[in-house]
């Protein structure tokens, strides 16, 4: 057993766990080191598809008047990005100049598509090692997890990295600015899920419940500037707003379907600097308190140097003690303990691979995804997600996204790539055509809302659709494509 103090030297910034110095190892007995290596390989692979884009375009910009520009450009794109660029965007460069904004957006979308197409292969090394999967959730008493984090891109790696939760068919992820999820939309999702459950009569489903999780976030190193933009970086406000939403959802379902029908709820806070979490402990009525939580960063510090068994027992003691007055259900306690334990691996991941605290503690997303996100890409700061059905309803989320990207991209001459993506169900006749039509409506509405950016070429929209039954994923829809509405 090692002494915790022997290699814990918190920096001036106040890292919650530790800093790895020369020849120091920073291993916690409950950390899954092998899983961390697999996730790091995934992170490098995915980021590697985006990192070369800007430098490549700078090179192309310098070469565009060369006589053999097109073959040179294609050779460079293939070697650095792994795909060809559209000939139509290169062919006229000698006379009219490269449209670098369009080309930049094209590359962002094309690299994203490469992540979608390669997701099964990219994720298979870590998917089966996740600490929380569907059978575990069922053992805790949950048939469905409906998770609403903030749309902030820093929460994009929530499932596999921060929660170590395997994305699966019983997990729904819908992000909203400030984690302010849509009550009517959630009631509708809950109703549909209950109907599916009752009609399928799936094994064990009658004894399980639906669990709604809201995830707010905060920044420990720059709390008043790098917290949640939707709440003016006021942590307490972000927490209370999420609690109110969870209460409203329970009331909506109880009032509509009878007392006792409401799903269980869980509130989690996330430090976007370090990926540590605060798990709030619900009472036996699923009510939350802003002050009643267990902090994984504190657990990391308290249990470092202990054996795996002792550390696990310490987690149980901490949760039991914090929950002494709330009558926590045993399945919920088991889930909370597993979430805390799994997060210790992520704290160590950030220590080992990001010096204990992300260098980009603020926004650094590559594009905005408007509509419905795909589960295939789960990595911090890859895209800002605005969950919406119509632009009118999602305007607040989109405005926040556009504001973020005006600082990130427009300020240095780069456009804002916006992917408009929706799912359809191929079992439903006409659904594909209706979804294409919906993409076109949303794209037009976005271009009208941000008309000034659009006319200057600073807003680049791409439409895409995916089948819920997975016959196609992220298929591009061209603006000229005619939607046949049945
Ligand atoms: Zn936020």
């Amino acid at each position: 057993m090692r002494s915790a103090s022997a290699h814990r030297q918190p920096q001036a910034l106040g890292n919650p766990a530790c800093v790895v110095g020369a020849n120091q190892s920073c291993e916690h007995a409950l950390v899954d080191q092998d899983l961390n290596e697999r996730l790091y390989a995934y992170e490098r692979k995915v980021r590697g598809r985006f990192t070369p884009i800007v430098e490549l375009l700078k090179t192309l910009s310098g070469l565009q008047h060369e006589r053999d520009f097109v073959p040179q450009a294609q050779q460079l794109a293939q070697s650095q990005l792994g795909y060809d660029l559209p000939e139509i965007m290169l062919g006229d460069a000698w006379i009219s100049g490269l449209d670098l904004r369009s080309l930049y957006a094209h590359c962002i979308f094309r690299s994203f598509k490469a992540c979608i197409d390669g997701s099964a292969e990219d994720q298979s090394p870590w998917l089966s090692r996740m600490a929380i999967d569907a059978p575990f959730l069922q053992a805790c008493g949950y048939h469905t997890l409906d998770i609403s984090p903030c749309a902030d891109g820093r929460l994009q790696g929530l499932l596999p990295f921060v929660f170590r939760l395997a994305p699966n068919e019983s997990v729904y992820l819908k992000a909203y600015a400030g984690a302010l999820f849509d009550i009517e939309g959630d009631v509708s999702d809950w109703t549909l899920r209950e109907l599916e459950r009752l009609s399928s009569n799936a094994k064990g489903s009658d004894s399980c419940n639906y669990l709604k999780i809201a995830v707010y976030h905060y920044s420990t190193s720059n709390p008043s500037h790098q917290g949640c933009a939707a709440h003016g970086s006021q942590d307490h406000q972000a927490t209370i707003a999420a609690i109110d939403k969870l209460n409203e959802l329970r009331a909506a379902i109880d009032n509509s379907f009878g007392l006792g029908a409401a799903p269980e709820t869980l509130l989690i806070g996330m430090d976007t600097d370090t990926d540590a979490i605060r798990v709030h402990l619900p009472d036996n009525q699923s009510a939350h308190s802003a002050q009643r939580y267990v902090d994984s960063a504190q657990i990391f510090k308290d249990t470092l140097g202990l054996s795996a068994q002792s550390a696990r027992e310490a987690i149980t003691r901490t949760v039991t003690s914090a929950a002494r007055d709330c009558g926590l259900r045993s399945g919920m306690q088991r889930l909370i303990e597993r979430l805390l334990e799994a997060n210790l691996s992520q704290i160590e991941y950030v220590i080992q691979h990001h010096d204990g605290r992300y260098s980009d503690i603020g926004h650094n997303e590559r594009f905005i995804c408007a509509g419905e996100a795909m589960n295939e890409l789960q990595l911090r700061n890859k895209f800002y997600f605005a969950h919406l059905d119509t632009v009118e309803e999602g305007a607040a989320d989109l405005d926040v996204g556009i504001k973020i990207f005006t600082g990130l991209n427009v300020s240095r001459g780069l456009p804002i790539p916006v992917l408009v993506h929706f799912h359809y169900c191929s079992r439903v006749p006409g659904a594909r055509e209706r979804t294409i039509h919906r993409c076109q409506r949303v794209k037009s509405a976005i271009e009208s809302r941000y008309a000034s950016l659009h006319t200057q070429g600073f807003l680049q929209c791409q439409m895409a659709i995916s089948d819920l039954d997975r016959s196609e994923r992220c298929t591009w829809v061209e603006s000229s494509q005619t939607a046949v509405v049945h």
Side-chain angles (χ1 to χ4, degrees):
M1 191 183 295
R2 293 168 298 148
S3 155
S5 59
H7 53 286
R8 302 292 118 170
Q9 295 296 328
Q11 281 185 325
L13 274 175
N15 282 335
C18 78
V19 178
V20 184
N23 303 318
Q24 284 181 327
S25 75
C26 190
E27 290 168 14
H28 189 290
L30 291 178
V31 167
D32 186 339
Q33 198 58 249
D34 185 45
L35 176 58
N36 276 4
E37 290 311 312
R38 293 173 191 218
L39 283 168
Y40 189 53
Y42 170 74
E43 176 175 358
R44 278 199 314 257
K45 193 170 188 180
V46 170
R47 292 203 192 284
R49 293 190 177 115
F50 294 89
T51 308
I53 291 174
V54 167
E55 284 307 311
L56 173 72
L57 293 186
K58 283 181 184 169
T59 306
L60 297 190
S61 179
L63 292 173
Q64 60 184 304
H65 300 294
E66 300 278 324
R67 188 165 281 277
D68 61 345
F69 170 63
V70 176
Q72 265 198 78
Q74 296 295 28
Q75 192 266 326
L76 286 167
Q78 266 297 345
S79 66
Q80 293 182 32
L81 299 174
Y83 50 80
D84 281 339
L85 300 173
E87 294 276 333
I88 197 166
M89 298 178 91
L90 305 176
D92 293 337
W94 68 275
I95 189 161
S96 52
L98 275 177
D99 180 350
L100 288 162
R101 286 185 187 135
S102 296
L103 208 48
Y104 173 80
H106 172 86
C107 290
I108 293 288
F109 295 134
R110 184 65 188 75
S111 289
F112 175 64
K113 174 80 169 143
C115 294
I116 300 296
D117 293 344
S119 64
E121 189 185 330
D122 294 348
Q123 297 181 7
S124 66
W126 51 258
L127 208 49
S128 58
R129 285 187 68 94
M130 289 282 117
I132 300 172
D133 56 14
F136 177 77
L137 291 171
Q138 205 157 58
C140 293
Y142 302 108
H143 57 72
T144 303
L145 241 56
D146 172 346
I147 306 173
S148 285
C150 178
D152 191 306
R154 293 172 292 177
L155 281 74
Q156 213 81 57
L158 189 70
L159 297 193
F161 286 86
V162 180
F163 287 177
R164 303 293 165 121
L165 167 64
N168 64 72
E169 287 174 356
S170 59
V171 177
Y172 294 82
L173 189 70
K174 294 172 296 176
Y176 297 85
L180 300 175
F181 54 87
D182 177 48
I183 300 290
E184 277 73 21
D186 265 29
V187 172
S188 166
D189 290 346
W190 176 87
T191 311
L192 181 65
R193 191 66 178 161
E194 286 296 302
L195 192 61
E196 278 176 354
R197 186 172 69 85
L198 293 171
S199 57
S200 71
N201 214 5
K203 187 177 167 223
S205 64
D206 53 342
S207 58
C208 289
N209 205 350
Y210 188 104
L211 177 62
K212 174 75 193 185
I213 302 179
V215 186
Y216 66 92
H217 63 100
Y218 52 94
S219 161
T220 42
S221 52
N222 195 352
S224 50
H225 292 100
Q226 297 295 352
C228 185
H231 297 290
S233 283
Q234 302 289 316
D235 297 350
H236 188 67
Q237 193 176 316
T239 314
I240 296 298
I243 290 175
D244 289 346
K245 278 285 175 189
L246 292 172
N247 289 340
E248 285 170 25
L249 175 64
R250 284 180 54 78
I253 293 176
D254 269 347
N255 294 347
S256 306
F257 298 93
L259 202 58
E264 288 182 53
T265 60
L266 185 60
L267 176 66
I268 298 178
M270 175 185 157
D271 177 5
T272 51
D273 303 350
T274 65
D275 284 351
I277 56 174
R278 289 173 185 164
V279 185
H280 292 253
L281 305 169
D283 67 16
N284 55 7
Q285 302 297 311
S286 217
H288 293 276
S289 154
Q291 287 79 34
R292 191 176 58 227
Y293 63 79
V294 175
D295 188 332
S296 66
Q298 189 61 45
I299 286 184
F300 190 98
K301 284 186 225 174
D302 292 346
T303 57
L304 192 76
L306 299 182
S307 68
Q309 191 186 343
S310 301
R312 222 166 251 143
E313 288 166 1
I315 294 174
T316 300
R317 275 198 307 277
T318 305
V319 174
T320 304
S321 165
R324 59 192 173 280
D325 298 324
C326 51
L328 202 58
R329 210 177 55 75
S330 64
M332 173 62 89
Q333 175 151 356
R334 197 174 162 198
L335 174 62
I336 288 172
E337 288 177 15
R338 182 67 67 94
L339 278 165
L340 289 165
E341 178 181 330
N343 185 251
L344 301 180
S345 290
Q346 183 59 15
I347 291 175
E348 184 126 338
Y349 182 93
V350 177
I351 290 168
Q352 289 185 326
H353 301 301
H354 299 281
D355 298 327
R357 186 173 298 272
Y358 288 107
S359 55
D360 55 342
I361 64 167
H363 290 279
N364 194 21
E365 296 95 332
R366 301 290 181 169
F367 64 97
I368 294 175
C369 177
E372 297 169 343
M374 281 151 282
N375 277 343
E376 282 93 336
L377 182 58
Q378 310 266 353
L379 187 61
R380 186 181 191 272
N381 257 346
K382 279 333 294 176
F383 59 89
Y384 175 90
F385 176 45
H387 181 93
L388 55 86
D389 293 320
T390 65
V391 169
E392 291 78 14
E393 289 175 17
D397 289 5
L398 263 181
D399 287 350
V400 172
I402 293 290
K403 189 176 167 205
I404 290 167
F405 273 83
T406 300
L408 276 180
N409 283 18
V410 177
S411 65
R412 52 191 187 120
L414 292 172
I416 306 172
V418 180
L419 179 70
V420 177
H421 172 267
F422 286 100
H423 288 100
Y424 71 96
C425 177
S426 55
R427 283 171 291 168
V428 178
R432 189 177 191 278
E433 288 75 13
R434 285 192 292 275
T435 302
I436 289 174
H437 196 62
R438 187 183 189 187
C439 283
Q440 289 169 331
R441 267 200 318 270
V442 168
K443 176 175 180 275
S444 299
I446 291 173
E447 288 170 352
S448 302
R449 186 173 181 87
Y450 310 105
S452 167
L453 286 171
H454 178 51
T455 51
Q456 295 174 76
F458 281 118
L459 188 73
Q460 301 274 340
C461 288
Q462 172 69 57
M463 299 178 285
I465 55 170
S466 297
D467 178 11
L468 285 169
D469 286 344
R470 311 188 80 82
S471 69
E472 60 179 345
R473 302 297 290 169
C474 198
T475 300
W476 298 143
V477 176
E478 299 311 323
S479 298
S480 55
Q481 199 160 335
T482 309
V484 182
V485 181
H486 295 290

